Amino acid sequence: MTPLSSNAPHGQSPLRTVQVLGGGNAGSSAHVRSLTEGLAARGVRVTVCAPVEADRAYDFTGAGAEHVHVPRSSDPVSVAALRTACARADLVHAHGLHASFRAVLALSGRPTPLVVTWHNRAEAEGPRAHLLRLLERRVMRTAAVVLGTSSDLVDRARRTGARDARLAAVGLPGQRRPVVLDDPDLLRPKVRAELGATGRPLLVAVGSLDRRRGYEVLLDAARAWRALDPVPLVVIAGEGPLRALLQRRIEDEELPVRLIGRREDVPELLAAADLALLTSSWESRSVLAQEALYARVPLVATRVGGIPDLVGDAAELVPYADPKALADAVVRLLADPERREELRERGVRQAAGWPSEDETVAQVLSVYDELTQPRPLP
């Protein structure tokens, strides 16, 4: 990441920011790490308030920040710890709904500006859904600026009462981008053999095993692929509460699907894949979609949330919860190498238009400049 400016303007003290992160999913945590590195390189003092396990995983300290352990909780002790950490901040930037709500509580009665980046839409049913709507309303109406990672999140923020909601420039951190190998055929046989996909198509999905990922629909579609010759193998990398249910279905229905758990080698999995599958009920800026297009892997994804804007015409889009449409799209692509190559080339062009990490930091800094006054030296 190339520094734009490494020092505060003459006569001013460095801007002091606090980045607030909850438990953090992979996308928001990687974003905060990248943002921290970019801000620190530009002379901004950064404190990251996050659970200690998040710092272990993403090394905010190594990116140039001070890390303060704040548990993922809105109890008085956690809020008090966050309030103390924010005491001398010029600006607080919270990521995600729950972290933003804690920041609202911690800043109560203080004039410190709050910026919120809304990475994902929280989903729940029953009384919890009502509670989430109340939290959203409180956060949206309190934040000085809300940055939504997809246009539908920006629209939702405005409907919920945000004073200023904008589309966020969120570049995929460099360490998340798969390396396009000069000769992928050297790696593919090894990975395919490990997964049991030698001599058959390999379809890869990545994400936590929960309801919103749509994996039950994926298993429904996989029934149709049993009739193909050779039968494609679907591998799903991730862990979550639905593992036992999904595994039972795979065994009972003899589906060509493997659950391979949480993996640290997603770039290698994608490099070996014939297709990437994204079957979620909703996504903003899906990390998997970005990784697939960067890796030149044809993508079949659900037409939901921010996915259409993100991938444009560089993926096959299907309705959510439509196993036949999903199955048919995969069958068509596997039988059409020219279409797969077309999607690879379109993916390269689409990815070239996504914001870079520098552009992401530049947008955030411009927002910070709007909200803070000149800071005289102490």
Side-chain angles (χ1 to χ4, degrees):
M1 188 178 295
T2 304
L4 299 178
S5 172
S6 58
N7 297 292
H10 180 71
Q12 294 184 21
S13 62
L15 179 70
R16 296 166 300 186
T17 72
V18 172
Q19 306 290 320
V20 185
L21 187 67
N25 61 32
S28 59
S29 297
H31 171 66
V32 171
R33 208 280 181 188
S34 173
L35 188 59
T36 294
E37 188 174 32
L39 292 173
R42 290 156 175 80
V44 178
R45 292 182 181 174
V46 182
T47 299
V48 175
C49 293
V52 66
E53 55 268 23
D55 186 49
R56 291 196 193 104
Y58 291 92
D59 192 20
F60 303 119
T61 306
E66 175 189 357
H67 172 253
V68 175
H69 170 61
V70 176
R72 186 182 182 181
S73 170
S74 296
D75 63 53
V77 174
S78 296
V79 172
L82 183 56
R83 186 174 178 84
T84 299
C86 295
R88 300 188 65 227
D90 298 303
L91 180 142
V92 174
H93 189 165
H95 301 263
L97 178 59
H98 294 287
S100 300
F101 181 66
R102 285 195 291 280
V104 167
L105 297 178
L107 293 176
S108 179
R110 291 179 177 173
T112 310
L114 173 64
V115 176
V116 167
T117 295
W118 203 2
H119 294 267
N120 286 294
R121 186 181 69 187
E123 296 184 4
E125 298 178 354
R128 180 169 170 75
H130 177 66
L131 174 61
L132 288 176
R133 286 194 296 271
L134 293 177
L135 297 185
E136 283 182 6
R137 190 174 300 118
R138 176 79 179 273
V139 167
M140 296 301 119
R141 293 180 177 180
T142 303
V145 174
V146 177
L147 299 173
T149 56
S150 63
S151 58
D152 62 327
L153 283 179
V154 173
D155 292 341
R156 185 181 178 116
R158 290 170 178 159
R159 292 195 305 269
T160 311
R163 291 175 283 168
D164 186 342
R166 313 177 192 181
L167 186 64
V170 180
L172 185 68
Q175 65 267 30
R176 297 300 302 264
R177 297 186 187 182
V179 176
V180 179
L181 303 174
D182 292 333
D183 190 356
D185 290 337
L186 294 177
L187 175 67
R188 287 165 62 93
K190 178 181 177 181
V191 176
R192 286 173 171 263
E194 176 208 334
L195 297 173
T198 300
R200 60 195 298 197
L202 176 62
L203 318 180
V204 172
V206 181
S208 56
L209 307 182
D210 56 42
R211 294 285 180 191
R212 77 177 186 88
R213 296 290 181 177
Y215 290 140
E216 292 176 273
V217 177
L218 177 53
L219 296 193
D220 291 340
R223 285 201 293 261
W225 302 329
R226 293 179 302 187
L228 299 180
D229 184 19
V231 178
L233 175 65
V234 181
V235 297
I236 303 175
E239 287 290 354
L242 292 188
R243 183 179 182 98
L245 173 65
L246 297 175
Q247 187 61 50
R248 186 163 54 249
R249 278 198 59 189
I250 292 168
E251 294 171 0
D252 291 348
E253 301 173 35
E254 298 182 344
L255 300 175
V257 180
R258 283 191 60 194
L259 306 180
I260 59 174
R262 189 175 290 110
R263 301 282 292 230
E264 300 298 328
D265 61 343
V266 170
E268 288 77 10
L269 293 177
L270 285 173
D274 295 286
L275 301 177
L277 305 179
L278 179 63
T279 55
S280 302
S281 61
W282 187 89
E283 293 276 355
S284 177
R285 293 187 67 85
S286 163
V287 172
L288 175 63
Q290 293 175 78
E291 290 176 330
L293 267 60
Y294 274 122
R296 302 186 78 252
V297 178
L299 173 69
V300 179
T302 43
R303 189 182 291 107
V304 297
I307 294 300
D309 288 342
L310 179 67
V311 303
D313 64 356
E316 290 282 351
L317 298 180
V318 298
Y320 171 66
D322 189 334
K324 184 177 187 305
L326 174 61
D328 290 348
V330 167
V331 170
R332 285 197 307 272
L333 276 179
L334 290 178
D336 190 346
E338 291 184 1
R339 174 60 176 163
R340 295 199 303 274
E341 183 59 29
E342 179 185 24
L343 288 178
R344 292 187 187 100
E345 297 305 319
R346 289 183 177 183
V348 170
R349 292 195 296 271
Q350 185 72 13
W354 292 336
S356 67
E357 290 180 271
D358 277 343
E359 289 167 337
T360 300
V361 176
Q363 184 202 39
V364 167
L365 275 174
S366 71
V367 172
Y368 291 178
D369 286 343
E370 291 177 32
L371 298 177
T372 57
Q373 298 299 315
R375 300 167 300 284
L377 289 169

